[in-house]
Structures are given as structure tokens and as C-alpha cells.
Amino acid sequence: MTLLANYYQQLVDLPAAQSACALIGLPKLAGYWPAILAVAVFSHIIRLLSNTLSSWVFGKKFNVLTPRQKYDWGVRVVSQVHAVLVVILSVPILFKEELIKDTLYGFDSYSAWVYSIVCGYFLWDIFISVNDHKKQGLGFIVHAIASFGVYILSFRPSLQYYGASFIMFEASTIFLNINWWMDKLGLTGSRLQLYNASILLFLYLTVRIILGTYMSYHMFEDLKAKGTKTPAALYYFYRIANHSILVLSYYWFYLMIRAVKKRFKPSKTKND
């Protein structure tokens, strides 16, 4: 462990890395860029190993899936690991005094480590979305790039306080993945899936639609009132990225409601 820590510190201390981070206006990134790359690589390793592990756990139910479904399964395993991890780890960020005192430019090392995980995952997600653009479509590429861009900019530092609130979006992802897995395991339309879908829709509405819109409004009001250190170009990038993610969230919520209605049609009763 000490050897690994020493090697990590050597990477952090590289003059070229220090200079590059300063040049792109992300000085705090110098201490975390190796972690971001490590998370991206580790995410891909999880995807590659997930099929073998899933075959052991689910047996024939997994083995009969198509190659495409197995690929999507692995992508969702990575998504699930990330979602569970960052949602739990982000809770303490909401109560960090350093960030509460300075909601726009405060910096906290614990928060930076959590955002390193987020950035690493979305860096991997960009690769996956672009590589699979014909299947996933433009929306997932936009979401991955916008999310990565916003969180990598937290190393200016900028908006670390608000970052934790938007990570809570991932709470709904946990149940979205479970819902997808239930379909593939033959549980479509089951009572168990109905319970999961109910939690999914409630969380999606709560954390992505209501909380997301509320925190977005307050973040931009905060920037307009006290954002003297935020360049105009950066402000508009935040606007574009935030609005893109919100619009996608509204659209995906609509699609989820349609999907749930298809799966759980009320049984028709005959009139006497």
C-alpha cells in the first residue's frame, strides 16, 4: 500500500502534470488526475469481468442472453457500482462547513476524491457512449460529456458544494438498472418489478426533476449574485450543460412512465 501511495505521489509531482493542470485552469486537478484515470480503467475492467461473474451467479438465465444484451448488462454493472458508491460517499459533502461557507469556490479534499470517482466514471462513459453511438444515441453522449465537464471543473475549484446535490441523481439509476435486469431475468410485469418501478419513478421525480430543478435555480442565482470569479464562457457552459441534463431528465422520465404503463396494464373486468 505504501509503495502504491509513493507511486501515486510521484505521478502527482510530475512537473509536466502540474504545469498542464495550471495551464488549463484546473490547479487542484494536479493532485487527483491519476485517480480519475485509474477509475476509468477500473470501470472498464469491471465491465469485462462482469459477464463471467454474472454467468456464475445467474447461470442459464444469463447465458441465454444475446451478445448485445450481455454487453449492456456489463455496462449497467459498472453504472450500478458507481451509483451506489457515489450516492453514499456524497452525503457528507452536503454538510461540509468549508463548502457551506463558500458555495461557489470552496474546496474540500474529501469532496475532490469523491468527484474524482465521478469524473473517472464519466470519462469511461464518454468512451462507451461514443463507441456505441448507433445504439445509445446522441442523448447519452451529451449526458456523459456534460456530466464530466461539470465535475472536472470542480477542480478550479468551482461549485463543489452544488456537485453533491446533483450526484443524488444517481439514486434513481440504482433502481433503473434493477428494473432492466428484472426484464432480462424473466421478471417483467411481476409484483417485485412493480414495487421497484414505483420506487424508481418516485426517486426519479424527487431527485432528478424536483431537486434537480430546484438546485439548478439556486445555483445560477448564486452565480449571478456572487460569481465574480466565474468567467462568462464558463457560466454559459454551466448553463448549457445543466439545461441539457435537465431536458434529458424530463424526456427520460416521460419515457419511463410510458414503459411502466406498458408493463403494468390494469386488468380489464367484464360488466355483468
Side-chain angles (χ1 to χ4, degrees):
M1 200 67 179
T2 303
L3 182 64
L4 184 61
N6 289 338
Y7 180 65
Y8 184 93
Q9 193 58 48
Q10 289 175 18
L11 292 174
V12 169
D13 292 337
L14 286 173
Q18 298 274 346
S19 300
C21 292
L23 182 65
I24 61 176
L26 302 174
K28 297 293 186 180
L29 182 61
Y32 302 93
W33 70 266
I36 293 172
L37 293 182
V39 170
V41 171
F42 189 61
S43 295
H44 203 61
I45 292 173
I46 292 175
R47 195 201 72 73
L48 294 175
L49 293 177
S50 65
N51 282 6
T52 300
L53 296 174
S54 297
S55 180
W56 290 346
V57 174
F58 297 103
K60 290 182 180 180
K61 288 187 176 181
F62 176 82
N63 294 334
V64 297
L65 298 179
T66 65
R68 175 71 229 189
Q69 289 172 331
K70 289 178 180 179
Y71 173 84
D72 290 341
W73 182 294
V75 171
R76 288 182 181 273
V77 168
V78 180
S79 169
Q80 192 77 342
V81 171
H82 168 259
V84 172
L85 189 62
V86 297
V87 166
I88 294 171
L89 293 178
S90 294
V91 173
I93 299 176
L94 300 170
F95 306 98
K96 291 286 183 179
E97 289 187 13
E98 299 88 342
L99 303 183
I100 294 172
K101 289 177 182 176
D102 188 352
T103 56
L104 296 183
Y105 308 114
F107 181 81
D108 172 72
S109 59
Y110 172 84
S111 305
W113 283 114
V114 175
Y115 295 160
S116 296
I117 297 172
V118 175
C119 287
Y121 168 76
F122 280 116
L123 181 61
W124 172 82
D125 194 31
I126 291 171
F127 167 77
I128 290 295
S129 300
V130 171
N131 189 54
D132 196 29
H133 67 279
K134 290 183 180 179
K135 174 69 165 56
Q136 297 204 30
L138 182 61
F140 285 95
I141 297 175
V142 170
H143 181 271
I145 292 174
S147 299
F148 175 79
V150 168
Y151 281 98
I152 201 71
L153 286 168
S154 69
F155 294 95
R156 284 178 60 85
S158 178
L159 303 182
Q160 272 204 352
Y161 170 76
Y162 288 101
S165 297
F166 293 109
I167 286 178
M168 293 303 147
F169 282 18
E170 295 298 296
S172 64
T173 300
I174 296 169
F175 294 91
L176 180 63
N177 288 333
I178 292 173
N179 205 65
W180 187 91
W181 285 322
M182 284 183 175
D183 281 339
K184 301 304 175 284
L185 294 173
L187 295 171
T188 301
S190 65
R191 188 174 294 275
L192 187 61
Q193 191 181 49
L194 176 60
Y195 295 150
N196 182 79
S198 300
I199 297 171
L200 166 60
L201 290 176
F202 172 76
L203 278 176
Y204 202 99
L205 176 63
T206 303
V207 299
R208 288 187 182 255
I209 306 301
I210 298 175
L211 178 65
T213 303
Y214 176 81
M215 292 305 295
S216 296
Y217 170 78
H218 279 280
M219 181 177 71
F220 287 113
E221 286 297 302
D222 209 2
L223 280 167
K224 284 192 286 186
K226 301 181 293 184
T228 54
K229 298 179 185 177
T230 302
L234 182 56
Y235 173 82
Y236 287 111
F237 170 77
Y238 282 138
R239 278 281 187 187
I240 294 169
N242 177 267
H243 293 349
S244 297
I245 292 172
L246 284 181
V247 168
L248 285 170
S249 294
Y250 300 152
Y251 175 64
W252 288 336
F253 187 58
Y254 162 73
L255 292 182
M256 279 192 287
I257 292 174
R258 285 185 58 187
V260 169
K261 284 183 177 180
K262 280 185 179 181
R263 283 179 174 83
F264 306 103
K265 292 180 180 179
S267 57
K268 295 180 180 179
T269 57
K270 293 183 179 180
N271 294 324
D272 292 333

